[in-house]
Amino acid sequence: MQDPSRDIALYGTDEQVPPPRNLRAGMLTAELEAGNLRYIRWNDAEVLRAVSFIVRDRDWGTWAPVISDLKVAEDRERFAITFHAVAGDAERFSFDAQIEGRADGTLTFRCVGVSDTGFETNRTGFVILHPIDGIAGTPVTIRHTDGKEVSGNFPEIIDPVQPMIDLRALSHTTPGGLKVEVLMEGDTFEMEDQRNWSDASFKTYVRPLSRPWPYRIDPDEQIQQTITVTVSGTSRGKTSKQAIQLAVGPSMGRVPPLGLGLRPEDKAATRGAMTLLRDLGPAHLILHHDPRAGHDRASLSEMLDIARDMNADPWLEAVIVATDDTGAAAEVAALGRMAASLGNPFTTVLVSPASDLKCTLPGSEWPPAPDAATLYDATRGAFPDARIGGGMFSYFTELNRKRPPTGHLDVMTFTTSPLVHAGDDRSVMETREAYPAITASATRIADGTSWAVGPSAIGVRDNPYGASAKDNPANIRQAMNRNDPRQRGLLGAAWALGYFSGFAAGGASAIALGGCTGAFGAVAVSTDDPQPWFETEGIVYPVFHVLRGLARLVGADMRALDLPANGQVCGLAAGSEIWLANTGADPVCISIPPGALAITLDAASFATASSEPGFMNIPGTVSGTLRLDSFAVARVITP
């Protein structure tokens, strides 16, 4: 067997990402990445997650600008950057940027841009990201565009719309005691709670959504904006790294069942991987049915056969096309008769109007859709022996903005993806920080009704904000990917463990991850999508081992682990097993209980694990400290 490159093992792609440039002026530091600033810190304490100048198209896709004439000057007291950037293709927008950071705690980022062709956009301008850890629920001073200052708070429970509007400046205090002011000039700004999309940030952005979009920047129209960040006060420095002490806490309930998704287009590939998928052992299989895509009784029957062969409970995920109550009731009744002709096999039936699969932004008029309570009651009548579920087949965002009448449901559902706003590795992994807020908010919306999440994966199965997800023939990291390379790498396995453990701890009654095969799958099959190394080697992706292990823990006593959501290690403890993952590129050491056994899936064992479905079955002895390489996953058996 030919060994893969380390990048293929970690990320599923050999795409080379230029490392960020570290900038410093006294105690002020930042990372320069693709022309934007990330992880702005004072004495190693984070004050802002990012300040970026972004250019988006009419489908909310973000252009990667081509940067030229980059100049960086730096000394002990100051750093300064200038560059020219061009975004777009047939229509272009170009801008000149100036960045300056000073040791007195002042940071400025100024951009002046024009379009020589005219440019249609949904957003072109600055975006500022405030971190959520230690910030959610805390006070903030708001200065409006008229100069008036008022007191407010960052949201604690996720805000469905804009928690702050008409902004000129924001001032807050960090958990370490630093005062941070952000002054935004050149347009009117407002804030959205990006935890809606599982991003670990509050986002303040240019051009209010109440103004028309998409909009056009006319030829030679000048866009000029400036962000000024001022940091003052003192904070504690970063503590030295030590081995993480693993502590298993009190019971948190039972491990919820793990499911997978299945769409008609993946039937043939899934059928060819049945032996491996039976071994994986999902508790349920969510069968997607959308008449608009030509899905019919035959496709549903074939997917049911797959669920039976996999010994998984079949859940129906049905898109309802009719927009009126009478038409929707008739459509659901016909679907019920179809199910009856197949033997009434569905244990759970999830329904959603087709119009709810696309986003309706705050302030916009909702498209026609049947009344939710009427639709759910009609579904109960058509499927009297099944649990009835609803909410959103799209993201938590849409659920939060159009909350279902949960009294008419047995289970509320939604999905997530970490790729809506950014596609880089760190942003993908940082979404774990938002899970506690999503689960708390979902529990409040459900109001006593159980709730389930998924099928969710790193990749985007549907795009509520544009025509479709990106096919990604170049096999790169980017936002809104359908076929995301990291699904096939160790990063994907670590992300999946973090996802399951985060939502399980938050109270999900069931969790479905991705699919069986293909872009969201766990088993490698022949496909039109690029999948380097797996095109000739290997039969399972690293995520297979995580899903297989978690599926076997269903119903086990789940125990708390003292691992913070913003920490580098995530995990789940159940019965005598602990599953751990390193969610970062830097190695990490973990102290585990004496006498424990462990087996690790990492870059060194990637090739072997990809060919042995039972790779994680037989752990070996450990000296007491477990070293996890980049994005490694470990199974620990405690005495």
Side-chain angles (χ1 to χ4, degrees), residues 392-411:
M392 286 289 171
F393 294 172
S394 54
Y395 302 135
F396 175 80
T397 317
E398 285 66 52
L399 176 82
N400 202 13
R401 290 175 175 172
K402 190 178 183 181
R403 302 180 177 186
T406 56
H408 294 257
L409 292 172
D410 299 312
V411 60

Side-chain angles (χ1 to χ4, degrees), residues 404-476:
T406 56
H408 294 257
L409 292 172
D410 299 312
V411 60
M412 182 186 80
T413 62
F414 60 94
T415 72
T416 74
S417 166
L419 293 185
V420 174
H421 292 118
D424 63 280
D425 299 330
R426 289 186 292 183
S427 293
V428 166
M429 280 305 194
E430 283 170 358
T431 56
R432 292 189 309 109
E433 298 178 33
Y435 298 163
I438 293 176
T439 58
S441 299
T443 299
R444 178 175 291 192
I445 294 170
D447 192 25
T449 298
S450 70
W451 58 270
V453 62
S456 300
I458 293 178
V460 173
R461 66 173 188 160
D462 292 302
N463 181 2
Y465 316 109
S468 63
K470 295 179 179 179
D471 280 334
N472 192 25
N475 197 41
I476 62 174

Side-chain angles (χ1 to χ4, degrees), residues 246 248 549 553 572 574-580 592-600 616-622 626 634-639:
L246 197 62
V248 179
L553 294 176
L572 179 140
S576 62
E577 295 193 29
I578 304 174
W579 283 75
L580 300 168
I592 62 174
L597 305 176
I599 186 168
T600 301
M616 302 294 279
N617 284 353
I618 308 173
T621 58
V622 183
L626 186 65
R635 178 185 178 220
V636 178
I637 309 297
T638 58

Side-chain angles (χ1 to χ4, degrees), residues 14 19 45-46 95 113 120 131-132 147 206 247 287 313 327 331 345 365 385 417 456 499:
D14 278 319
E46 185 178 27
F95 59 95
E120 190 174 40
I132 60 175
V206 76
L287 313 181
D313 284 341
E331 190 175 336
E365 184 176 348
D385 298 324
S417 166
S456 300
Y499 194 90

Side-chain angles (χ1 to χ4, degrees), residues 263-264 288-296 317-321 354 357:
R263 293 198 166 201
H288 187 72
H289 180 81
D290 186 348
R292 300 173 305 165
H295 302 168
D296 55 15
E317 184 183 61
V319 176
I320 306 303
V321 179
L357 300 184

Side-chain angles (χ1 to χ4, degrees), residues 47-317:
V47 296
L48 290 176
R49 183 62 48 97
V51 178
S52 307
F53 190 89
I54 64 169
V55 181
R56 286 192 166 155
D57 63 22
R58 62 172 294 116
D59 290 323
W60 297 100
T62 302
W63 285 102
V66 177
I67 294 174
S68 61
D69 199 24
L70 174 65
K71 298 177 182 177
V72 180
E74 189 173 10
D75 59 35
R76 293 172 60 89
E77 299 297 313
R78 175 180 176 270
F79 58 78
I81 301 99
T82 60
F83 62 85
H84 180 73
V86 179
D89 48 23
E91 289 191 344
R92 300 177 302 278
F93 181 82
S94 61
F95 59 95
D96 292 298
Q98 296 177 319
I99 302 171
E100 183 185 37
R102 300 203 304 262
D104 65 2
T106 303
L107 174 69
T108 59
F109 194 158
R110 181 173 184 263
C111 286
V112 179
V114 296
S115 173
D116 59 350
T117 60
F119 190 78
E120 190 174 40
T121 180
N122 279 348
R123 178 172 299 149
T124 293
F126 275 110
V127 166
I128 301 97
L129 303 184
H130 285 79
I132 60 175
D133 183 50
I135 300 298
T138 64
V140 58
T141 300
I142 301 165
R143 187 190 313 162
H144 292 299
T145 56
D146 62 3
K148 182 179 179 181
E149 288 194 353
V150 298
S151 297
N153 287 84
F154 288 100
E156 186 167 4
I157 293 295
I158 301 175
D159 196 306
V161 287
Q162 297 97 335
M164 304 176 202
I165 60 173
D166 186 35
L167 301 179
R168 178 63 66 232
L170 295 171
S171 300
H172 78 284
T173 301
T174 70
L178 294 171
K179 183 177 180 181
V180 182
E181 180 180 87
V182 182
L183 174 65
M184 300 158 283
E185 299 174 288
D187 207 329
T188 299
F189 287 71
E190 64 186 21
M191 177 184 287
E192 68 186 12
D193 192 336
Q194 284 209 128
R195 297 175 298 173
N196 275 297
W197 294 272
S198 73
D199 296 63
S201 58
F202 300 106
K203 179 172 73 178
T204 305
Y205 56 90
V206 76
R207 190 173 172 103
L209 291 176
S210 59
R211 297 173 66 181
W213 53 270
Y215 60 97
R216 188 166 183 80
I217 299 173
D218 292 328
D220 300 323
E221 175 186 353
Q222 187 179 84
I223 304 295
Q224 180 173 315
Q225 298 171 19
T226 303
I227 305 298
T228 304
V229 180
T230 306
V231 183
S232 58
T234 59
S235 67
R236 298 182 299 273
K238 186 183 295 184
T239 58
S240 60
K241 285 189 176 182
Q242 297 179 341
I244 295 172
Q245 302 296 315
L246 197 62
V248 179
S251 175
M252 300 173 61
R254 300 292 174 178
V255 176
L258 179 141
L260 298 174
L262 178 62
R263 293 198 166 201
E265 56 267 31
D266 295 322
K267 298 192 309 291
T270 300
R271 173 61 68 189
M274 284 305 300
T275 300
L276 290 167
L277 290 165
R278 288 191 204 102
D279 185 40
L280 191 156
H284 56 283
L285 201 60
I286 300 179
L287 313 181
H288 187 72
H289 180 81
D290 186 348
R292 300 173 305 165
H295 302 168
D296 55 15
R297 184 186 184 281
S299 63
L300 199 54
S301 177
E302 290 178 59
M303 290 193 295
L304 276 168
D305 287 342
I306 290 172
R308 292 189 185 102
D309 286 353
M310 212 179 293
N311 198 29
D313 284 341
W315 291 22
L316 175 61
E317 184 183 61

